[in-house]
Amino acid sequence: MNDSNQPKSLDVLIVGAGFGGLYQLYRARKAGLTARVLEAGDDVGGTWYWNRYPGARCDIESLDYSFSFDKELEQEWTWSERYATQPEILRYIHHVADRFGLRRDIQLRTRVTRAVFDEQGKRWTVDTSAGESFDAQFLVLATGCLSIAQAPDFNGLSSFAGKWYHSADWPKEGVDFTGKRVGLIGTGSSGVQMAPLIAEQAEHLTVFQRTANFSVPAQNEPLDDQAVRDAKANYPERRALARETSNAICLEGNDKSALEVSEEERLRRFEFCWRGAGGGFRMLRAFGDLLINEEANEHAANFVRSKIRAIVRDPKTAELLCPKTELRFGTKRLCVDTGYYETFNRPNVTLVDVKAAPIEEVTTRGLRTSEGEHELDILVFATGFDAMTGALRAIDIRGVGGLALREKWKHGPRTYLGISSAGFPNMFIIAGPGSPSVLSNVVHSIEEHVNWVTRLIQHARHSNRAHVAAEIRAENEWVNHVNQVADRTLYPLGNSWYVGANIPGKPRVFMPYVGGVPAYRKILNEVADDGYRGFVLS
C-alpha cells in the first residue's frame, strides 16, 4: 500500500515488513502508538518475499517457526509439512498481515536511504529514494539479518550470452531449466536446497564448490491430521519447552558429553538424530558438548562424513563433498537438505572443485576455471548475504554529532544487548548483532525483542522521557561479554557468515550472541527490572 495521505509524523517508524516489522507494528498499535512500516519490496514477507528460489524452505520446523503472540492464530493456521516451503511461509505472513489489518499502515515499494537524528527535537528524520521524508520519535530497524544479497563479482559476467540469476532475487515467474546446461555457484543453504530440484529439470547441472559444508537430512514429511491436532492441543507446553532451550526450538536435547559414552552408544545417538528423531538441527543436540569440545565435535563430523561416503557412489566426488577437518561441525550454519548428496549420483550432475581449479572468468559461453571452460546456458549464484549488518549499513544512518553508523561499525558491529547502539538514541534494532537472532528460532527472538522494545518505549513515554540512549560503557561491556561467551565455543573457528567471512573486506567479528535464549532473556529482564540499566532516559 502507498498512500500519500497517511501521516508523515509518527511515534514509531519501522523499516522492513517481514516477521519483525509486522509484529512491531502490531505491538505499537496495541500500545496506542502511531506507527508506520516502510518496505522496499512490493509486498510484505521480508526474506521470504525475496528468497523464492526452487527448493527454498525453512530449516526450523513450521510448528516452531511461527508467531506465539495470539492463541487463535495458532489454532486457525495449519501447516502442511514439517519444514514449510517459501510459498507456504509467505502465505502465512500474508494471513497475519490481513488478519490483524496491518496493511493499512505499511507503505510498499519504499526504500529508506537516510535516517538522521535531530538532537534538539529528539526525533528521527527518515528519507526515502522517492524523495519522501518522515518524522518519528522512535526508529525501529526490522531490516532482517539475511536481506542484502552478496552480489556476484566475476570477471566477464556482463559478456555471458545466457541468463544468470541470484537466489535472493529470483524471478517471480520462476525459471525453466528444461534442456539447459546450468552452473550453480555456492553450496551454502540456498545452493544445497536448490541443487536437487535444478538437477531434476536441467539437461546438466555443474556445481562449482569452493568449500564443502556440512549438511544433514531434513527428514521432511507432511504433517498428518493427528499430528496437527496434537500440536495444537499442546501448543502452550510446546512453546514453554522451546523457550527454555538454547535456540528456542522444541527439540529433544542431551546434556551428556559425546566423550562419556561408548562408541556404540555414540553412534546410536548420532543415527537416532540423523534419521530416527527426524533429522535437521537435532544433530547439533545429539550431545551437550559438540560445540564446545574439539574431540566431541570431531566425532560428529566423522559421523556425517561417513554418511556422505555411504550416500555418494563415486569415491572421488564423495571426498570432495566431505568437509575438511579444519571446519568444525556446526560452526558454519548447518545446512538442512532433502536429497542433496543423492543428487551427485545422477548422471547429469558434475561437481567441480574450484579450490583446486579456481574460477578465472565468466565467458560468453559459460565459465572458465584454471582447468578449462564449462559451456553453460544458465548461471545461478547462491552466494548468500551480507549477513546481520548489510541492511543496516545500506542506509545512511546518522546519530549524535552526525556520527555515521557505517563509520562506527567499520571494525564490526557494536550494540548494547543487540538492540541499541550508543550514539544513536531512540533507535532500536530487531534481532540485531549481539543478540541470539540467527542462532535461534528467529521468530521467537523477534517476539522477545519487539515486546521488550515496546515496553521500553512505553516506559519512556509514561515517564515523559523523550530521549532513550544506550550508554557507551554498557555497550562496551556487552560487546566484551558477547566475545567472551563466543570464545568459550568453537563457533569463532568457523569461516562463516557469522563472522562476515563471506564478504571480502568485512571485519572478522563473531556477530550473534551464543549464550542461549534463556540466558539472554534473563539478562533482558534484569536490565528492565533495574530501571533499564545501561540506558539513559532523559
Side-chain angles (χ1 to χ4, degrees):
M1 155 176 191
N2 284 317
D3 187 346
S4 59
N5 295 321
Q6 289 288 328
K8 300 286 178 67
S9 184
L10 304 153
D11 296 327
V12 182
L13 185 67
I14 304 157
V15 183
F19 275 99
L22 294 184
Y23 185 52
Q24 182 62 76
L25 174 59
Y26 171 84
R27 288 287 282 121
R29 280 187 185 171
K30 286 286 186 181
L33 303 168
T34 59
R36 191 150 182 78
V37 176
L38 303 183
E39 165 59 44
D42 59 16
D43 209 340
V44 301
T47 191
W48 297 109
Y49 169 82
W50 297 106
N51 284 269
R52 42 184 175 257
Y53 59 84
R57 68 173 72 237
C58 193
D59 54 12
I60 295 172
E61 296 191 20
S62 313
L63 292 168
D64 293 315
Y65 194 80
S66 53
F67 284 123
S68 66
F69 69 87
D70 187 279
K71 304 310 174 190
E72 291 182 5
L73 175 64
E74 285 181 332
Q75 295 300 314
E76 70 193 21
W77 184 266
T78 298
W79 295 103
S80 67
E81 295 180 79
R82 172 180 279 167
Y83 296 94
T85 61
Q86 177 268 341
E88 186 170 13
I89 297 170
L90 193 58
R91 287 196 298 273
Y92 173 75
I93 295 171
H94 285 179
H95 174 74
V96 171
D98 294 335
R99 187 191 190 285
F100 297 102
L102 301 177
R103 290 184 184 271
R104 69 176 181 269
D105 290 318
I106 300 172
Q107 183 165 317
L108 303 171
R109 295 176 289 277
T110 304
R111 184 171 295 280
V112 172
T113 56
R114 184 174 169 87
V116 178
F117 184 68
D118 174 7
E119 296 177 53
Q120 295 298 316
K122 298 179 176 56
R123 297 177 69 84
W124 283 91
T125 299
V126 178
D127 299 327
T128 75
S129 58
E132 286 184 281
S133 188
F134 295 82
D135 164 74
Q137 183 178 6
F138 297 100
L139 174 64
V140 177
L141 299 168
T143 48
C145 297
L146 299 171
S147 53
I148 296 293
Q150 182 185 8
D153 183 20
F154 291 92
N155 291 332
L157 182 58
S158 61
S159 70
F160 182 52
K163 299 284 185 69
W164 68 266
Y165 306 94
H166 194 286
S167 57
D169 191 17
W170 205 257
K172 288 183 180 178
E173 65 276 12
V175 178
D176 185 3
F177 296 105
T178 304
K180 303 296 185 182
R181 299 165 299 176
V182 182
L184 173 61
I185 299 173
T187 53
S189 293
S190 300
V192 161
Q193 290 181 335
M194 252 192 280
L197 295 183
I198 295 176
E200 288 177 2
Q201 198 177 51
E203 175 186 309
H204 194 276
L205 170 65
T206 304
V207 178
F208 296 91
Q209 174 188 275
R210 182 182 60 185
T211 304
N213 291 319
F214 285 105
S215 188
V216 297
Q219 306 293 3
N220 189 39
E221 61 184 8
L223 292 173
D224 60 40
D225 291 343
Q226 187 58 49
V228 170
R229 282 194 295 270
D230 290 345
K232 289 185 176 183
N234 296 287
Y235 241 135
E237 294 81 1
R238 183 185 183 97
R239 299 291 194 189
L241 285 171
R243 282 169 58 85
E244 297 311 314
T245 66
S246 62
N247 52 13
I249 305 173
C250 191
L251 298 178
E252 177 190 352
N254 180 14
D255 292 332
K256 284 186 178 180
S257 165
L259 307 181
E260 69 178 76
V261 300
S262 66
E263 183 177 359
E264 291 75 19
E265 184 178 344
R266 192 161 52 235
L267 291 175
R268 279 197 301 271
R269 178 66 183 170
F270 284 143
E271 188 67 42
F272 176 71
C273 292
W274 178 273
R275 190 183 310 277
F281 287 142
R282 288 168 177 81
M283 279 298 299
L284 289 173
R285 304 282 288 278
F287 294 97
D289 57 351
L290 296 186
L291 288 166
I292 59 175
N293 184 289
E294 291 260 17
E295 187 178 351
N297 186 277
E298 188 60 16
H299 282 299
N302 284 335
F303 175 82
V304 177
R305 292 186 191 106
S306 73
K307 286 295 187 182
I308 297 170
R309 293 177 182 123
I311 294 169
V312 180
R313 290 193 288 265
D314 177 58
K316 182 179 178 182
T317 302
E319 288 308 309
L320 286 177
L321 289 166
C322 285
K324 301 298 183 283
T325 55
E326 59 264 25
L327 177 60
R328 283 75 170 179
F329 177 72
T331 57
K332 292 180 75 169
R333 178 75 174 195
L334 194 62
C335 299
V336 179
D337 74 85
T338 299
Y340 177 65
Y341 293 118
E342 292 84 349
T343 297
F344 294 92
N345 292 328
R346 297 178 62 100
N348 69 327
V349 176
T350 303
L351 180 66
V352 175
D353 179 8
V354 297
K355 183 165 283 186
I359 295 172
E360 294 183 341
E361 64 176 343
V362 178
T363 67
T364 302
R365 298 186 300 172
L367 189 149
R368 178 180 291 115
T369 72
S370 62
E371 292 185 347
E373 186 171 15
H374 299 265
E375 293 190 3
L376 304 166
D377 303 304
I378 295 176
L379 273 170
V380 175
F381 296 97
T383 47
F385 300 88
D386 185 353
M388 303 201 72
T389 60
L392 299 170
R393 289 171 56 86
I395 304 170
D396 183 13
I397 301 173
R398 303 277 172 162
V400 174
L403 174 65
L405 188 70
R406 294 168 184 163
E407 179 64 23
K408 181 182 175 182
W409 286 12
K410 68 181 179 181
H411 299 302
R414 302 188 66 82
T415 70
Y416 178 44
L417 304 174
I419 288 175
S420 184
S421 193
F424 297 84
N426 293 12
M427 184 184 89
F428 305 107
I429 305 164
I430 303 303
S435 77
S437 58
V438 295
L439 293 181
S440 69
N441 171 8
V442 75
V443 180
H444 169 85
S445 289
I446 283 168
E447 288 185 313
E448 196 79 57
H449 265 189
V450 167
N451 291 339
W452 198 90
V453 166
T454 304
R455 288 195 297 270
L456 174 54
I457 291 173
Q458 289 178 291
H459 173 77
R461 289 171 67 87
H462 291 164
S463 56
N464 291 319
R465 310 293 179 87
H467 187 268
V468 180
E471 296 177 334
I472 189 66
R473 174 194 55 79
E475 176 177 283
N476 290 338
E477 290 176 356
W478 183 251
V479 171
N480 290 338
H481 175 64
V482 170
N483 290 331
Q484 288 167 2
V485 174
D487 287 341
R488 296 176 199 150
T489 74
L490 304 177
Y491 273 114
L493 302 178
N495 199 32
S496 70
W497 55 259
Y498 294 148
V499 298
N502 63 318
I503 303 294
K506 189 169 182 175
R508 291 292 297 268
V509 176
F510 191 78
M511 293 181 281
Y513 178 65
V514 302
V517 165
Y520 180 75
R521 182 188 309 114
K522 181 181 178 184
I523 293 168
L524 287 184
N525 290 339
E526 289 173 350
V527 167
D529 291 344
D530 196 15
Y532 294 97
R533 180 181 71 243
F535 288 92
V536 174
L537 283 74
S538 59

